[in-house]
Every structure is written in structure tokens, then in C-alpha cells.
């Protein structure tokens, strides 16, 4: 340990001496700029420079130009940044809902022409009124042809109705009733690759909780990188409890423990509604032991997406246990469903693709059944 009285050569003087010998060192004239000591809040250090994570692979010059697909009237309430320079934007038709109204419907878009097809970040922009949406891509129906954009053929927004014959791409799933912006940015080197011969659709759920008419506007950005930048290919997984009951004026936990096939968990997002009081997720090791990996509090309008660096490694036979605690302050029973009901769903991304799974518990308290859909890839 150096004493406080020891004299040392100032860092800039020492660097200048090295620069005389090796002029191409970072920070020397003729060399690359020295990396910053620290990045501003909301930025990350990537390849020697501070960047917004979603702009990690944005090129200096735009490479995707005709990359916005929009239907309906122009947006008047959302103020959007420029579309991704590498990637694309889709915009939903604005919808007006009266006070207290709720609706679900399907919207579809064709893929625009884009240079790179590996998505490493996605972002939703929304006014108040978006309850949730799950943006997916499925093959064009061979009998019906392309969707009648922005409307949909029957079943176009069902991500798991044709498993295992059709494994959908899941482009983005938003947190419940998030307002403003929500982003999902994977760690460097990770992303999912699009099949642009497919078409995009979403089951969109709108809910106007205000006492006035609401114009609801929603748009999505997807940021892409060259395939050569992808070290790990990501796929979605989902876990759901299809039926449960919480009596009026009661607090009750609903949950399941579902076996996995191994792999690595990169992100998690819970899905509940306004009666949720807590959402906890644990990894239960087949060899013994368990660890809490997610702990969510009471329902709010903030984003709930959690991204893990490093990823959470699972061995074949390890389980994921998730628990939703509901505080039913109403005079009616809470069951699984839309409207003034609840859901207990866990969604996320993982790798490698062959470990992809979907898990379902038919009724709360019954065993969970896990399907290794990655085996069909």
C-alpha cells in the first residue's frame, strides 16, 4: 500500500510519455479516444462510448428508410422520436373509448423491408388506456392469405393455438397498464431473429379508467443489429394458471411450480391486474435448494420487466415457482379473465432455443404441465 507521502508521476504526464513511444494508444493523438470514466444515468458503456442501451447498434447513417407501418389517423397525443435507423416502427390506429369502457381486438401489420433482422431492443409508446398487448409474428395463412391489415383473420393473434406446428415469434409484451414508454433491451450479444416472411399481429386490450372519453394511441419500435453480432439466440417462454378463485374481501395466493428443460433465463415479466398485491418468482433446484429471482410489489402503472446480467442458468429438471398474491377488495369473486378479474402469468426470454418451454396449470392447486416446445424447432 503506497504511503500518503510517496510522490507519483501524474497520470497525464505518464500517458504522454507512453504516447511518444506508442502513438496509437487510446487517448493519444492518432489513437482512439479514451473511454469515459463513467456514463450518465440511463446510458451504458459499449465499445468505448456511452450510449443509450436501445441505441447500442444504431448506425451513424440510416440504413432502413421506408420502415414505418402505420394505419388509421395520424397520432396527435404521442410525441415519438425518430424511428430506428436500423429496425422498424409499427403504429396502431388510434381508438376512442368512452369512460369505463374496455375492449380487446386484433391488429396486424406487414413487415417493412429492413436490412438486419435480429432484434436486440424493443420499445412501446402509449397513452393511458393500453391495458396490455402481446406483439407476435406468425406465418401467412396458406388458405386465407395475408391479414386484411390492420384487421386480422380469425386466430391471427393467438400465439399458442397451433403449437407445436407453428411456434410464433414474440416481438414484445408490455406490462399491465403501463403509461408513456416501456423498453426491453437485451444484454449485448443477445437477440431474437425475425422471419420477415411472416406477418405481425397483436391482441390488444384497451381499458379507459378515466371519467372522460379517451383517445388511445400506441406505437412500437424494434431495434435491429447484424446477425454477426448475435452470440445467443433468444426465444420466449410463458407460464400461466388458467383458473383460480379469490373470494370477495379476501387475500389469497395463487401459484404453480413448473419443471423446466434447462437453459438460461434472460428476462422476466409478470402479468396481473389491479388486485395484485405481490408477485414472487423462485428457482427450485432439482439437486436441492432454491433462490428468489423476482420480487414484485403491489400493482402500479410502472414497467415490470426485469433483465438479468448474467442470465440465470437452469439445469434440466430445475423448476420455476411463481406466486401471485391478490387482495380482493371487491364484492365479487375474482377469477382468471378480463374485465374486473385477474391473471397470474409469467413471461420472459431465454436461450438456447431448444430449451424453450410453455407451462400451464389448468386449475390453481393442480400440477403444472410443461411442454418442451423447443424440441420441435
Amino acid at each position: 500500500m503506497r504511503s500518503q507521502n510517496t510522490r507519483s508521476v501524474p497520470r497525464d504526464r505518464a500517458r504522454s510519455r507512453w504516447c511518444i513511444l506508442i502513438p496509437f494508444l487510446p487517448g493519444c493523438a492518432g489513437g482512439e479516444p479514451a473511454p469515459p470514466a463513467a456514463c450518465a444515468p440511463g446510458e451504458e458503456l459499449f465499445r468505448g462510448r456511452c450510449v443509450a442501451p436501445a441505441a447500442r447498434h444504431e448506425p451513424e447513417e440510416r440504413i432502413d428508410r421506408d420502415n414505418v407501418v402505420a394505419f388509421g389517423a395520424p397520432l396527435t397525443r404521442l410525441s415519438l422520436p425518430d424511428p430506428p435507423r436500423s429496425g422498424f416502427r409499427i403504429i396502431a390506429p388510434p381508438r376512442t373509448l368512452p369512460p369505463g369502457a374496455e375492449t380487446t381486438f386484433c391488429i396486424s401489420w406487414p413487415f417493412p423491408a429492413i436490412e438486419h433482422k435480429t432484434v436486440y431492443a424493443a420499445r412501446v409508446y402509449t397513452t393511458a388506456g393500453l391495458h396490455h398487448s402481446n406483439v407476435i409474428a406468425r406465418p401467412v395463412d396458406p388458405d386465407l392469405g395475408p391479414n386484411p391489415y390492420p384487421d386480422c383473420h380469425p386466430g391471427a393473434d393467438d400465439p399458442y393455438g397451433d403449437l407445436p406446428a407453428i411456434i410464433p415469434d414474440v416481438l414484445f409484451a408490455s406490462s399491465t397498464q403501463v403509461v408513456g414508454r416501456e423498453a426491453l433491451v437485451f444484454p449485448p450479444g443477445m437477440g431474437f431473429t425475425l422471419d420477415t416472411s411472416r406477418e405481425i399481429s397483436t391482441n390488444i386490450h384497451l381499458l379507459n379508467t378515466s371519467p372522460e372519453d379517451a383517445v388511445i394511441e400506441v406505437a412500437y419500435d424494434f431495434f435491429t443489429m447484424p446477425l454477426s453480432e448475435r452470440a445467443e439466440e433468444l426465444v420466449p417462454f410463458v407460464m400461466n394458471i388458467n383458473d383460480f378463485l379469490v373470494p370477495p374481501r379476501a387475500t389469497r395466493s395463487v401459484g404453480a411450480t413448473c419443471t423446466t428443460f434447462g437453459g438460461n433465463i434472460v428476462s422476466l415479466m409478470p402479468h396481473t391486474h389491479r388486485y395484485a398485491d405481490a408477485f414472487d418468482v423462485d428457482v427450485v433446484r432439482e439437486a436441492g435448494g432454491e433462490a428468489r429471482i423476482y420480487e414484485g410489489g403491489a400493482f402500479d402503472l410502472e414497467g415490470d420487466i426485469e433483465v438479468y446480467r448474467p442470465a440465470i442458468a437452469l439445469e434440466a429438471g430445475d423448476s420455476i415457482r411463481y406466486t401471485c398474491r391478490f387482495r380482493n377488495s371487491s364484492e365479487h369473486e375474482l377469477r382468471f379473465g378480463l374485465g374486473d378479474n385477474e391473471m397470474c402469468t409469467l413471461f420472459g426470454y431465454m436461450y438456447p432455443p431448444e430449451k424453450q418451454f410453455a407451462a400451464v396449470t389448468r386449475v390453481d392447486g393442480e400440477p403444472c404441465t410443461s411442454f418442451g416446445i423447443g424440441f420441435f424447432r
Side-chain angles (χ1 to χ4, degrees), residues 98-119:
E102 181 175 28
T103 184
T104 60
F105 53 97
C106 178
I107 304 175
S108 67
W109 302 262
F111 273 106
I114 54 176
E115 179 73 17
H116 303 307
K117 298 178 176 62
T118 299
V119 175

Side-chain angles (χ1 to χ4, degrees), residues 40-60:
E43 293 185 335
E44 67 176 15
L45 184 63
F46 183 70
R47 294 179 178 167
R49 62 192 181 104
C50 292
V51 297
R56 186 186 298 142
H57 292 281
E58 280 280 78
E60 293 296 329

Side-chain angles (χ1 to χ4, degrees), residues 109-343:
W109 302 262
F111 273 106
I114 54 176
E115 179 73 17
H116 303 307
K117 298 178 176 62
T118 299
V119 175
Y120 70 92
R123 186 187 293 152
V124 64
Y125 311 88
T126 179
T127 59
L130 173 65
H131 189 279
H132 72 274
S133 69
N134 301 313
V135 184
I136 67 172
R138 289 171 50 100
V140 173
D141 190 298
D143 298 320
L144 300 176
N147 282 309
Y149 314 119
D151 297 322
C152 303
H153 293 310
D157 56 348
D158 183 355
Y160 299 110
D162 296 313
L163 289 176
I166 297 175
I167 301 175
D169 301 321
V170 180
L171 279 62
F172 192 79
S174 56
S175 297
T176 310
Q177 291 181 231
V178 69
V179 178
R181 298 184 183 187
E182 183 177 40
L184 171 61
V185 184
F186 298 122
M190 297 186 186
F192 58 84
T193 299
L194 302 169
D195 178 352
T196 54
S197 71
R198 296 184 168 196
E199 52 190 355
I200 307 168
S201 60
T202 182
N203 179 282
I204 194 163
H205 178 190
L206 304 181
L207 173 64
N208 180 11
T209 60
S210 74
E212 301 176 348
D213 286 354
V215 178
I216 303 170
E217 298 179 348
V218 183
Y220 303 87
D221 279 342
F222 298 93
F223 298 83
T224 60
M225 64 183 181
L227 181 60
S228 60
E229 297 282 355
R230 193 194 73 194
E232 300 291 352
E233 181 182 3
L234 302 183
V235 290
F237 70 92
V238 66
M239 306 168 69
N240 191 62
I241 302 173
N242 286 358
D243 192 20
F244 54 82
L245 185 150
V246 182
R249 300 292 174 179
T251 298
R252 184 180 170 214
S253 292
V254 172
T257 301
C258 306
T259 302
T260 73
F261 303 90
N264 302 271
I265 302 298
V266 174
S267 73
L268 291 179
M269 186 195 73
H271 179 76
T272 56
H273 299 168
R274 68 186 184 96
Y275 294 103
D277 194 45
F279 196 115
D280 299 325
V281 184
D282 300 284
V283 170
V284 182
R285 303 293 182 182
E286 184 181 36
E290 58 185 62
R292 175 68 47 90
I293 62 171
Y294 187 94
E295 201 166 74
F299 170 78
D300 57 33
L301 302 182
E302 302 298 321
D304 297 312
I305 297 172
E306 186 80 20
V307 176
Y308 297 97
R309 302 188 187 194
I312 297 170
L314 301 173
E315 298 293 335
D318 288 349
S319 298
I320 294 178
R321 180 178 65 217
Y322 65 111
T323 305
C324 307
R325 188 172 72 232
F326 299 115
R327 190 181 301 275
N328 185 1
S329 57
S330 75
E331 299 297 337
H332 64 82
E333 294 178 341
L334 287 184
R335 290 189 174 274
F336 174 85
L338 302 177
D340 201 28
N341 279 294
E342 271 294 349
M343 292 185 180

